[in-house]
Amino acid sequence: MASFAKIENNIVVTVVSVVNEVLKDLNGIEQESIGIQFLKTLYNEPNAIWKQTSYNTVGGVHKLGGIPFRKNHAGIGYTYDETRDAFIAPKPFNSWILNETTCLWEAPVARPQDGNKYKWNEQNQSWDLTTA
């Protein structure tokens, strides 16, 4: 299955799946443009903006070794940044900074890598150990 995000005012408003066979051209090659035209016709929205996204893409890397699409899998409420050609999740905390390479938000302080579970404390700008 291929995933496509519908974008309005640079915000993802829906994400749908399309069977891969629908995307294939006469030579059997999958084409994003064919999927976009299919969705515009299906929903009777000729001016809608659709972009393909990949469930397996995180931080600009395809988890299965395939071709990554637009840095991250799109989600409802994500921003589509046309300049970066990337889907960017909503900023989780005011202090977090966008990594320009991965288009993922990062805390200003690295999370401890000791096997414990932590949650971000925005007020103290630190990672608090959780008991759960």
Side-chain angles (χ1 to χ4, degrees), residues 6 16-19 22 34-46 48 50:
K6 182 179 178 186
V16 299
S17 295
V18 176
V19 176
V22 169
I34 295 172
I36 291 170
Q37 190 54 53
F38 170 79
L39 291 166
K40 287 181 175 188
T41 302
L42 178 68
Y43 291 105
N44 193 26
E45 295 178 323
W50 291 92

Side-chain angles (χ1 to χ4, degrees), residues 4 17 29 35 41 45 47 52 56 59 73 77-80 85 92-94 103 118 124:
F4 286 82
S17 295
I29 308 294
T41 302
E45 295 178 323
N47 297 319
Q52 191 169 357
N56 291 307
H73 183 262
Y78 280 40
T79 298
Y80 173 68
D85 191 27
F93 298 98
N94 285 335
C103 289
Y118 293 87
N124 296 333

Side-chain angles (χ1 to χ4, degrees), residues 24 30 37 41 45 51 64 87 92 105 117 127 129:
K24 292 185 178 178
E30 292 181 16
Q37 190 54 53
T41 302
E45 295 178 323
K51 297 285 182 182
L64 303 177
F87 291 109
W105 295 103
K117 294 187 179 197
W127 292 99
L129 185 64

Side-chain angles (χ1 to χ4, degrees), residues 41-106:
T41 302
L42 178 68
Y43 291 105
N44 193 26
E45 295 178 323
N47 297 319
I49 298 171
W50 291 92
K51 297 285 182 182
Q52 191 169 357
T53 184
S54 172
Y55 177 78
N56 291 307
T57 299
V58 177
V61 176
H62 193 282
K63 294 187 277 187
L64 303 177
I67 298 170
F69 274 102
R70 302 190 166 92
K71 300 289 185 181
N72 299 293
H73 183 262
I76 294 172
Y78 280 40
T79 298
Y80 173 68
D81 185 310
E82 191 170 352
T83 303
R84 294 179 179 98
D85 191 27
F87 291 109
I88 302 171
K91 190 172 186 175
F93 298 98
N94 285 335
S95 65
W96 286 34
I97 303 158
L98 185 67
N99 178 314
E100 293 291 334
T101 303
T102 64
C103 289
L104 295 171
W105 295 103
E106 296 177 350

